[in-house]
Amino acid sequence: MQLITILVVSFLGAGIVYLTGKFSGRVRDISAVLVSLAVVILVGLAYNQKIYTNFYSLPFLNLSLSLRLNYLSWFFAIIVAGIGFLSILFSLEYIKDYQGVGFYYFMMLFVNAGMLGIVLSADFLSFYIFWEMMSWGTYLLISYKGGKAVAAGLKYIIMSVAGSLAMLFAIVSLYASYGTLKFSSLASLLQIASPGYILFLLLMFVVGFGVKNAIWTLHTWLPDAHAEAVSPFSAVLTGVLVRMGMYGFLLIMYSIVGLSLLHKLGYGLLNFNYILCWIGAITIVIPTFTALLQNDSKRLLAWHGIGQGGYMVLGIGVATSLGIAGGILHTLNYAVCGALLFFVVGAIEHRTGGVRDLNELGGLIKRMPVTFIAGLAGISGLIGVPLTNSFVSKWMIYKTLIMENYPFLAFAAFIGTWGTILSVYKFLHNIFLGQLPEKYKDVKEVPLTMQIPMILLSLAIILFGILPGIPLKVISGIEKSFGVEPLSTTMFGMPKEIGELNLINILAVLLVAGIVVYLIFSLSAKSRRVNQDDNYAAGLFVPRGKYQYSARFYDQAYRIIGPYLHDVVDDFYYWLVGKSKSSFQIVRQIYTGNINTYALYILLFLTLLIFVKLGWGL
Amino acid sequence: MIIKVISIIVLPLIALIIGFFFLGLSRKVIARIHRRYGPPISQPLIDVIKLINQESISHGKLFDMGVILSLAGSVILVLFIPFGGIAPLATSGDLLVIIYLMLLAPLGVALSGGEAANPNVSIGISRKMMLALGYEVPFLFSLLAVMTWYKTTSLVEVVKAQQSFLWAIFYLPLPAVAYFMILPAMLGIRPFDIVSAPQEIASGTAVEYGGRYLALTTIQHAFHIFIDIALFVNLFLGGGNLLTFFVKMLVVFLLGLFINAVFPRLRIDQAIKYCWKWPAILALVGLIIARII
Amino acid sequence: MSLIYNWMYYIASGGLILIGMYIILVKTNLIKIIIGLNFIDTGVNILLVCIGYVKGRTAPIFSTSRINPTNVVDPVPQALVLTAIVIGVAVLALALSIAIKVYEHNKTLNVTKIRGLKW
Amino acid sequence: MRTRKIISIIILLILAGGFILTFSQIPFGKDKINVAHYYISKGIEETGAVNIVTSVVLNYRGFDTLGEVTVLFIAAIGLGAVLFTEKRVQKHASKSKDDKTKKASLILRTGSNLLFPLILLFGAYIFVHGHLTPGGGFQGGAVIASGFLLMYLAFPKQSINKKSLSVVESLSGLIFVGIGLFGLIFSGYFLSNFLPKGIPNTLFSAGIIPIIYIAVGFKVGFELTSVIDDLLGRGK
Amino acid sequence: MVNPSLLIGLPLAFAFSIPLFGLISKKIEKYIPIIALFINMVISFMLIPQILKKPIVVSIGGWSPPFCINLVVGPLGILLATLISGIGFLVSIYAVSYIKEEPTEKYHILFLLLMVGAIGIVLTGDIFNLFVFFEILCISSYALVAYYKDKEGTEAAMKYLIQGSVGSSFILIGVALLYGFFGTLNMADIASRITSANPTYLFITLAFLITGFGIEAAIFPLNAWLPDAHSSAPSSISAILSGIAIKTGVYGVARMVYTIFNANSILLFIAFLGLLTLLIGEMCAFRQDDIKRLLAYSSIGQIGLIIFALGIATSLGVFASLFQIVSHALAKALLFLAAGYMIYRVGSKSIASLNGLGKKMPLTSFAFTIGSFSLIGLPPFAGFVSKLSIVYAAMQVKKPVFLAFIAIALIATIIEAGYFFKIVQNLYFKEGKNLDKITESSGYILIPIAILAILIIVIGVHPQFITGLLKASARELLERAGYIGWVLGGT
């Protein structure tokens, strides 16, 4: 019963918020925050319960829609609810002066509800229904700002519809051959299916979920969608919505097809998992280095979203308990870091009047310190600096890759990290460090409602960085539900037999070393504070306002890497659309407008029928 | 337990001493090559003491924190690398942790340099990053080669495995050579010192550093030299007890110094191309061999 | 001889239908096409009546006692023809009125010229 | 153009083949009557009409004729809608200026004056005796319409009052449907023959058939007249 | 027990009386179609429960079935009759304030008679009567397409008329041949006697009938008239044409193939034709920039889907195609009504001119979005359930050829999603030029649009309302013996 209340609260909540929006803005904002908070609490309360309810039946297809809760769905549900709540909180101030704000809040809550529906559904039909509702909800929200966002929204929805239709094809073929769509019963039924059929199913589902999770060849919609969507929504989009694809991968690969069956697919090196790992590896390397070349901050983060998605796919592709745990943990970690970074960009946009171009910003650390700290935490989370949450998940992925003897995949992951460091530092440097331009002299810090989400997420990064045991306990529960032998971890690191990782020791040592160095630093001679214009310019006069190096930050690297990173896949899709458009033009010419030709068509049809009959004796 | 605490305190000091010794030695040796006497070996120590008492300017909170972070990062990194017999924190962090901890130092410097709001510094940082990108490829290949060869990620086990019979350098010659070829890039000495060379853009990242900041950066540089060479020795030369460990480090350092002192300075894209051509190929071949056998 | 006798009416109706279709397919003048339509209608009406005809029998009207149910033709097709003719007239009238309007707008009755709506 | 001709000829040949094959299955002149035997044998005593075709048209398959009348009604209304022009009023005015429209020749005018009443009488005869002699409402209506056409030819300027035409049309249509509905009320079947059958072969026989045929006769006559009027573009 | 023949008699009486009411006062005419169709809707709703128990066979004129015209009111008949009168009722409300063009009295008569024709087709059990009602439907729609008397309207009406009358002549030839073979006109009677004739020659009659009905049902090569007719007719009429007229054509084809001729071998060909229509319809719709022409082509596409589902001979296949008929009728009527009023307000038909209407006419564009989402088949709407059942029906047939067909059908859905989403974006997220004087539509316009939108959502969320009726009508179509039993085996 509890699951239905969650869904009902979130869907009706969206409706109520829209209605209150008609009366007064204040009431709408408060009710939106309350609804999302209620959802978080409800999901939180339903922690380790096993619930299974049928909530609706379609007699004519003798199908019934049902919901269930286990560790996997609870894990994703809490991420969805949490990030949703924080983005609503963040957008209170951010969306104030946009038009159609009621529509925005309704759509945000509606998409959140859709995602909760996906995560809680227990059979493929309700899964597909909520999936589609989420997709077209996202489409409306992406193109919410108008202008270039319209093209981005269209690109997104076309690819998402194509993906979900592939998924529908697989779901209905499952239903046609097994008569039921329940995950539990399907899991047992599929054991006896022929490998070819399972491979076909997996292929279709990989296409469906790959489009959402933006694996390499299906990623082209993501940069435009993230860059053009409203910042709070792109936080939700990159953090959580894209990870529905990951939930789908986990669902189909482990809770339905199951580990043992996966290994039987394919022979030797050419099995399904290995190919998936390589796709994950490519998804790490190419997008991360394309992020290097971007000048628009949101587009840079979007490319990182794709890159980090590669880590998750790599993690679960390896199919060892450590790998799966690493992949799932990285989903949580990136959800936190990605959302935080988009909040930071949103804050910058809010204060500097919508400027996203990295070459125009600079020196904002002096005016917006809290945002800077959040940004620093975010990028260190993204890189995986020790004592941040991504470090633990990346460590697990590397450990399992090396132990399973896949050194080249490990290399791709490492190089991905270094690519992230370079591009993410460029992001931080061009926005916060360097000279503060004239026009941002009086920029104030973002209001409190925007700071709280940022601070909370930064704390989460550090907390999970130091005490990874909290999420890992849930993840070991998930692995038990998958039938994989669960990963036993201590609260702050890895036990002896898995590997040497003790985060508390690292923390302690870092603190001690930090204090010692700080003592040395403060004991030595004092230094006087100078402002940014009092700077070394090799004897020349410091040119005001132009003394900033941010354009073409890694110039030499561009020249070497640049040519290889041209997005070939995107060109292929545009070529495809162009070709189909011209073929549609030819097809249109059938209707020539001349009566005689139309009469000719009718008689041709008749003679075809008769001729086929006489000739063939149908 | 007490031995652990003592070794945690002692090890950084040893590293500091060795680091300064190497610094002094390198200036002495280069001078000798240029047929001049060069400053006394303890010159770096004298510089640091002088700098600490000197007045300096600061560009804000992050400017200070960045330098502190980078030094702290180097200090704890030392603790994870076994020096001879002593390996205090080896059980709580393996080779992967070491790779990631090596990020802290450049990150700290980059942050404080960025705060200095000086384009020269920014150019220096971007060069340092690109150079790092350059030498990371062969470095990672060689590390992976070692790890796949010994089927473990913990440095202590690698060292123990090398005690029983031959050093890793005989089993994995190519990664070792590759590592050795990029050692100067990692240390930032002679052919790859474009980042911090005085003649270049006002000595790169250290433009705005004076007094105590310069002192801390030189200390950090000393630690960094110790770390890289100690890592090389542990990985490929199976570092034995204290004395033999120091001797091996000295040999590796001098060998590297002699070879590289004569080369002209490489431009950044030349450096990257160099790192990605020969050392990367050698390390890759080494990795493939390690993978297949 | 009896062969032609038996098939004469079918040949007439089939011929009329085919000629009507030929006109619609080939002729470009709108009025000719409408006339073609009329050809097809008449052809079909003849076909309907032929189907109802039985040799050597007369119309089914029992005005005199002489006509008894045995020597009477099938009345149903004649009822159908009655309806079909009136439908033909209705369609013809409507077609001509629309043709008037088409001519008013396009100033031509040549079908190949009236191609405002295509694709 | 030539290719179109060749293709259409080929198509028509195939169609001709189809026709020949199907017609060979329907022997001409043979007694293929099946359901019609019922009408022929029990037609008179069930409907009271001597002319079996009329009994089939109105009683057995009355629904078709109702549909039939509706089709004609639609054609008339459709024609009115399509050819409806406000301009008609101006045309009327412009006509009075240039009075050169030729007046019909004397013979035509006097002849039509003489013939018009006779044509109307003959038409009325046809549709009144629908159930006795061949012919019926539609044929009588057509004859009446030809009378009105004659008047249009004779007097180019005059035109019939459209309002009255449409009223008669709808009234007669209503009578037809009304009889159907009465049938439904009285005997539970739509269009059933609830009036007394009377003696066959006499004028007042065959229940509702003569009434319907009179209504249909009026309706068809006036509808065709309004069609002619619209096509000539003269009526108000 | 109300007599179903009222369903046809009453509106006919009203239609004939409109000119008389016109004499009293011009204003009443506008409301007569509403009253007539409302009564029709009420009657058909009252009949549904009774028919689900036992279908009614009503003879016209009081004679036993084979010897007279009878109305067979089975579940299929009543389903389509309710659909027709319901949508007709809503569109007549819409037409009250939409039709301003001069001879409005004639418009309302023709509109009512078109409805009579449609209901007649669906209910009649006699093949010639089917032809007559088909003619009523066609001729009134010829006249109504030419109602605007502008260059486009007349040209479209002319093309529609010529193709339509060629089709009707083919039907008449078919009916004549059938009478020649079996000497009877009652559909059930013919169905029971069908085996007595030689199947090869019978097939040629079937070919004529399918071509005749196919023209009205817009199967691929025969649907050249549809884009012109639907785009240049007044919007209320194109809503009716798309929503109902095509469906009666499909009903005709279904009745011929399933009930009368029992021609199972041709079903695969029909499924292929449906797929072809779907592809051609979607492809042509993609490149249109005139909104109504785009909707017309999308109607062709959807009809292709319906005919494809019809081609799957299983009971679920026919059930899915009937469900798609209902959901397409509702959605397409909604789209045409909404688009029609937007064009009326903006003044031009091009899609670009619809930019930014989302803010000026929020309710209309919201309804338009619901309609287009339902057509694409997105979950909470009726289109999703019907498309899902079509895909499932196609999959249930284990033959690989149907797998390929359904895959192509899904690809066609992507194309359809492409252009519908583009329009929705134009409405909401693009800035429109000189939209200041445009205000939300008046009462008469909004009522039908709102009701249709609510119906789509209600059926989408709770399809059980109509699935019972749909299952019964699917069974009626598939089990010929049942149909023959109703009519001939005594009322």
Side-chain angles (χ1 to χ4, degrees), chain D residues 2 6 45 50 76 88 118 171 174 190:
Chain D
R2 280 193 45 72
I6 296 158
E45 71 269 10
V50 172
R88 176 167 300 165
L118 290 178
L171 257 182
L174 257 180
F190 188 74

Side-chain angles (χ1 to χ4, degrees), chain B residues 192-252:
Chain B
F192 297 97
D193 60 355
I194 187 156
V195 173
S196 55
Q199 308 88 336
E200 293 300 334
I201 306 164
S203 71
T205 49
V207 164
E208 284 297 303
Y209 289 158
R212 53 185 178 179
Y213 303 101
L214 208 55
L216 290 184
T217 28
T218 37
I219 297 169
Q220 192 269 334
H221 190 55
F223 272 114
H224 191 57
I225 292 174
F226 170 81
I227 291 159
D228 288 335
I229 297 170
L231 194 62
F232 181 82
V233 166
N234 276 323
L235 280 175
F236 295 105
L237 305 177
N241 57 41
L242 282 172
L243 193 61
T244 53
F245 194 87
F246 177 71
V247 165
K248 286 179 193 166
M249 282 175 68
L250 196 62
V251 162
V252 164

Side-chain angles (χ1 to χ4, degrees), chain B residues 1-283:
Chain B
M1 189 45 206
I2 305 125
I3 307 146
K4 214 156 182 302
V5 168
I6 297 161
S7 59
I8 286 176
I9 297 160
V10 162
L11 194 56
L13 294 179
I14 299 168
L16 186 64
I17 294 156
I18 294 174
F20 275 130
F21 171 69
F22 276 167
L23 270 177
L25 195 66
S26 71
R27 290 167 74 159
K28 197 73 162 166
V29 161
I30 292 172
R32 274 288 177 267
I33 294 172
H34 296 171
R35 305 174 62 81
R36 55 185 171 78
Y37 278 103
I41 289 186
S42 61
Q43 182 57 32
L45 193 63
I46 304 158
D47 292 351
V48 163
I49 294 158
K50 173 197 76 176
L51 285 172
I52 282 179
N53 309 327
Q54 235 178 16
E55 245 247 3
S56 62
I57 57 157
S58 146
H59 281 273
K61 254 255 150 308
L62 182 67
F63 190 74
D64 321 340
M65 286 306 143
V67 172
I68 292 165
L69 173 70
S70 82
L71 184 54
S74 307
V75 165
I76 49 171
L77 194 55
V78 165
L79 297 172
F80 285 96
I81 296 176
F83 176 75
I86 323 164
L89 283 178
T91 56
S92 62
D94 56 5
L95 204 53
L96 300 173
V97 175
I98 289 166
I99 295 170
Y100 266 83
L101 282 175
M102 287 169 82
L103 298 176
L104 276 182
L107 190 67
V109 166
L111 284 175
S112 68
E115 175 67 4
N118 188 317
N120 299 322
V121 176
S122 309
I123 296 169
I125 296 166
S126 78
R127 284 185 173 172
K128 190 182 191 46
M129 292 270 184
M130 281 190 275
L131 186 64
L133 186 67
Y135 68 71
E136 273 304 318
V137 171
F139 175 66
L140 288 174
F141 272 135
S142 51
L143 279 180
L144 283 169
V146 169
M147 283 197 261
T148 38
W149 178 258
Y150 286 106
K151 297 272 176 307
T152 166
T153 56
S154 133
L155 203 49
V156 171
E157 273 156 34
V158 168
V159 169
K160 209 188 286 90
Q162 289 174 33
Q163 302 310 339
S164 53
F165 31 84
L166 288 175
W167 291 342
I169 197 162
F170 296 107
Y171 294 108
L172 302 159
L174 292 175
V177 165
Y179 191 103
F180 186 74
M181 284 163 79
I182 54 162
L183 203 55
M186 291 169 74
L187 304 180
I189 52 176
R190 204 63 193 85
F192 297 97
D193 60 355
I194 187 156
V195 173
S196 55
Q199 308 88 336
E200 293 300 334
I201 306 164
S203 71
T205 49
V207 164
E208 284 297 303
Y209 289 158
R212 53 185 178 179
Y213 303 101
L214 208 55
L216 290 184
T217 28
T218 37
I219 297 169
Q220 192 269 334
H221 190 55
F223 272 114
H224 191 57
I225 292 174
F226 170 81
I227 291 159
D228 288 335
I229 297 170
L231 194 62
F232 181 82
V233 166
N234 276 323
L235 280 175
F236 295 105
L237 305 177
N241 57 41
L242 282 172
L243 193 61
T244 53
F245 194 87
F246 177 71
V247 165
K248 286 179 193 166
M249 282 175 68
L250 196 62
V251 162
V252 164
F253 181 71
L254 288 178
L255 207 63
L257 208 62
F258 291 145
I259 294 170
N260 296 304
V262 291
F263 284 100
R265 180 173 303 122
L266 286 171
R267 270 204 335 269
I268 274 294
D269 46 1
Q270 285 169 336
I272 297 176
K273 282 211 184 70
Y274 164 76
C275 285
W276 280 354
K277 197 181 302 126
W278 286 113
I281 291 169
L282 284 178

